[in-house]
Amino acid sequence: MPIRRILRTLTPWLLILAAGGLAAVVRFLFIEPAAIGETCEAQAALWWCSLRLLLVKGFIFHQLYGWVAFAVAIASMTMRRPWLAVLAAALGIYAMVLYCVELGAFALLVGILREVRLRAGGSPFDKNGHGQQHVHATP
């Protein structure tokens, strides 16, 4: 198997894992530590405190990360674009790690299933939207 084909196959999955790793770093090293929260309360002028506040507001107010992942997952089901499926899965895992579990799980599942389906050859429907059903006269 040529290296180019291996890389083309593994790249989407590595990107999804990288999104999960990034979300874990953001959550466990930037949002959750009490020392960072206390520092930002004491010295709100630090440049990264406003970034931290925006990240926290993203999951506190209406689960923004989950809804964005959900919207991309729906878009990936309506359009035949592999990059949308990967983006849905990546945003889904990001949303799950950052406290938007339900919507993130949906987006992750849809993104992964859509990516696998598109790589396997597309949709069970042909271009006319009819199922590919064949009737054979003899078994």
Side-chain angles (χ1 to χ4, degrees):
M1 189 177 245
I3 190 75
R4 180 171 272 183
R5 186 171 179 198
I6 292 171
L7 286 176
R8 193 174 349 147
T9 302
L10 289 179
T11 299
W13 307 110
L14 293 175
L15 289 173
I16 294 168
L17 288 175
L22 174 67
V25 166
V26 166
R27 176 179 173 174
F28 296 117
L29 298 180
F30 195 58
I31 292 176
E32 282 193 359
I36 291 179
E38 292 167 0
T39 302
C40 285
E41 286 179 10
Q43 302 171 355
L46 296 173
W47 67 269
W48 50 268
C49 287
S50 59
L51 176 64
R52 181 181 180 273
L53 182 62
L54 282 173
L55 288 169
V56 170
K57 284 183 179 181
F59 61 81
I60 288 179
F61 295 117
H62 308 295
Q63 297 187 351
L64 178 67
Y65 304 130
W67 285 110
V68 169
F70 179 80
V72 174
I74 297 299
S76 76
M77 287 192 295
T78 59
M79 294 184 267
R80 294 178 49 100
R81 302 281 185 259
W83 64 269
L84 267 177
V86 173
L87 183 62
L91 289 174
I93 199 165
Y94 190 85
M96 284 179 64
V97 173
L98 290 179
Y99 310 104
C100 304
V101 178
E102 295 87 1
L103 294 169
F106 174 80
L108 177 63
L109 180 64
V110 167
I112 287 174
L113 291 175
R114 190 70 179 144
E115 170 65 18
V116 169
R117 184 63 168 189
L118 290 172
R119 287 202 180 264
S123 173
F125 299 106
D126 59 13
K127 295 182 185 205
N128 297 328
H130 303 292
Q132 297 175 354
Q133 300 173 357
H134 300 283
V135 178
H136 298 285
T138 57

